[in-house]
Amino acid sequence: AQSVTQPDIHITVSEGASLELRCNYSYGATPYLFWYVQSPGQGLQLLLKYFSGDTLVQGIKGFEAEFKRSQSSFNLRKPSVHWSDAAEYFCAVGARQAGTALIFGKGTTLSVSS
Amino acid sequence: EPEVTQTPSHQVTQMGQEVILRCVPISNHLYFYWYRQILGQKVEFLVSFYNNEISEKSEIFDDQFSVERPDGSNFTLKIRSTKLEDSAMYFCASTPGTTSGEQYFGPGTRLTVT
């Protein structure tokens, strides 16, 4: 079955500390992988995506993610978290072909403490 | 930067009433989607639309739902007879081309069925 697992429901990180959000997926075809961020009352903003090539991808707001095929993982990282990063983060997987469904994880809520 | 827009931002309706949620996808995008997010749950795919036809739909997208592109810019989701369990945030998304799975999301419409 196709699925995305985000094992951490809620994470609290101190401002300036590093961050890693975990994502594991199960997908039958070659996956396209995405991280989206949702601030309270806002829509889903695309942080970064992996289609092929270099397994370390850079995104907006200083985020990066690493695709590890052997572990079926696509973890999101940031070296130094800012208070404005507090939001909900969703990992998603989809097919290469347009028009197909993205399958989302349940999300990880990030709180940033001062 | 072009964005997907959705109206209204919040819709309250009574059970059994019909509602139409409106979206304006990014200009020149070819694929359009609807997703929903019930409070506290993950984002779920409803339907994708291309060239005036449904491309893919989930089991959630039953006969109560329909989609339409009434003109060159709008994309609508109609729920014929709303139920309490239809209360959710509904997101519209669009994809630029036929080879990309990347989806750009709007801010969402919060539907409350009373």
Side-chain angles (χ1 to χ4, degrees), chain A residues 16-95:
Chain A
S18 64
L19 168 71
E20 182 170 30
L21 302 182
R22 296 181 291 165
C23 172
N24 292 95
Y25 67 91
S26 174
Y27 200 73
T30 300
Y32 274 13
L33 293 153
F34 306 87
W35 275 99
Y36 286 87
V37 60
Q38 184 181 32
S39 299
Q42 302 297 310
L44 297 164
Q45 182 181 22
L46 180 64
L47 278 178
L48 48 76
K49 58 187 183 286
Y50 173 76
F51 290 161
S52 64
D54 192 347
T55 57
L56 184 64
V57 293
Q58 303 297 320
I60 62 171
K61 304 184 181 186
F63 285 92
E64 65 179 27
E66 186 172 13
F67 171 60
K68 293 185 177 180
R69 185 184 301 275
S70 62
Q71 297 178 19
S72 297
S73 69
F74 188 57
N75 294 348
L76 182 71
R77 301 195 293 247
K78 186 170 185 178
S80 178
V81 167
H82 188 262
W83 64 266
S84 60
D85 293 325
E88 189 154 20
Y89 292 81
F90 293 94
C91 181
V93 64

Side-chain angles (χ1 to χ4, degrees), chain B residues 29-67:
Chain B
H29 278 201
L30 299 180
Y31 278 86
F32 315 115
Y33 312 80
W34 284 102
Y35 289 79
R36 78 173 184 189
Q37 184 183 29
I38 296 171
L39 189 63
Q41 299 186 23
K42 60 182 171 181
V43 178
E44 301 173 291
F45 170 77
L46 293 178
V47 66
S48 62
F49 191 84
Y50 171 72
N51 200 26
N52 286 318
E53 290 185 347
I54 289 175
S55 177
E56 182 178 321
K57 62 180 181 179
S58 72
E59 58 188 23
I60 302 170
F61 193 85
D62 60 22
D63 292 343
Q64 290 287 87
F65 293 91
S66 62
V67 289

